[in-house]
Amino acid sequence: MRRIWNAIGLLIIMVSMAIFLLYVVPTIDDIFTTSTLKQEDVPIPTELHPKVEEAKQTLIQRAEAKDITIVITDGHRTEAEQDELYQQGRSEPGNIVTYASGGESYHNYGLAIDFALRVDNGEVVWDMQRDGNGNGESDWMEVVAIAKDLGFEWGGDWTSFKDYPHLQMDFGLTIRELKYGERPEIEGYAANDEE
């Protein structure tokens, strides 16, 4: 008889857990997602944010003033381009260069650029030790210092996946917020219509 009561008790617990998982957990998730972040029909930007574009041009000029030539190897990326890059090192040959799939990168929202150095013979390099201007400092780190001064966050400072060519301006917005339609406020950029 005791086994029957234990089985009934276990059944009641399992049914209660199932009800909790089916009805309560989705409601909790809805509270944290839909009430704080509502998916908006906001267009995905198709170019760099104007402030990022301006900072990019200033970065190129300030680096040139230090006798460092940089090349912007990437700026805005479509979600399809991001997905293609994400496949590298996974289903496609090559090394893994990103952990962000389409819609998960600041590049997709026009808020990030990647750079490299151009050497005298025209070759593009990602040499972080190079001191082409001969001032005793790494050209790469001189560019990073200029970028940080302009308000960029550097991917080399990240604690997990280090992305040394990556510079971004997130304007205080997370990828999740961007996916739900939030945009930095500025004229001429894909902005939330309610703002």
Side-chain angles (χ1 to χ4, degrees):
M1 187 65 149
R2 187 172 187 185
R3 284 186 172 181
I4 293 174
W5 285 113
N6 285 343
I8 291 172
L10 184 59
L11 183 62
I12 291 171
I13 290 171
M14 291 173 61
V15 169
S16 298
M17 287 178 62
I19 290 170
F20 180 78
L21 291 173
L22 288 172
Y23 297 104
V24 177
V25 170
T27 304
I28 291 170
D29 189 47
D30 285 346
I31 290 169
F32 289 111
T33 12
T34 55
S35 68
T36 56
L37 293 173
K38 293 192 181 192
Q39 185 96 31
E40 299 288 340
D41 189 20
V42 176
I44 301 289
T46 57
E47 57 190 24
L48 286 178
H49 183 282
K51 286 189 178 180
V52 176
E53 177 64 36
E54 181 182 339
K56 176 188 87 170
Q57 296 303 327
T58 303
L59 176 67
I60 293 167
Q61 292 166 1
R62 288 190 187 173
E64 192 63 44
K66 289 182 171 258
D67 201 24
I68 302 169
T69 303
I70 64 170
V71 175
I72 303 304
T73 58
D74 219 343
H76 176 272
R77 281 187 211 127
T78 65
E79 289 188 21
E81 290 168 331
Q82 187 69 36
D83 281 334
E84 186 177 315
L85 195 59
Y86 180 78
Q87 294 310 316
Q88 186 176 321
R90 293 176 178 88
S91 62
E92 298 296 323
N95 295 324
I96 291 177
V97 294
T98 185
Y99 286 94
S101 58
E104 297 288 328
S105 171
Y106 283 98
H107 285 283
N108 300 143
Y109 303 95
L111 303 177
I113 60 174
D114 293 338
F115 78 96
L117 305 174
R118 185 181 306 277
V119 296
D120 293 339
N121 67 4
E123 185 181 351
V124 175
V125 298
W126 288 262
D127 182 350
M128 292 182 61
Q129 314 314 309
R130 185 173 192 284
D131 180 18
N133 61 5
N135 67 354
E137 296 179 50
S138 155
D139 292 349
W140 194 276
M141 296 311 295
E142 287 185 81
V143 173
V144 167
I146 296 167
K148 287 181 176 183
D149 186 53
L150 293 169
F152 282 106
E153 175 185 336
W154 179 45
D157 286 333
W158 297 343
T159 55
S160 56
F161 177 71
K162 302 267 186 198
D163 191 352
Y164 297 106
H166 184 86
L167 301 168
Q168 72 183 36
M169 291 183 177
D170 62 23
F171 297 92
L173 296 172
T174 65
I175 289 293
R176 184 177 185 191
E177 290 169 325
L178 290 165
K179 286 175 78 170
Y180 275 85
E182 294 292 322
R183 300 288 182 264
E185 292 182 39
I186 191 161
E187 187 89 15
Y189 181 70
N192 191 332
D193 293 336
E194 294 180 79
E195 294 175 25

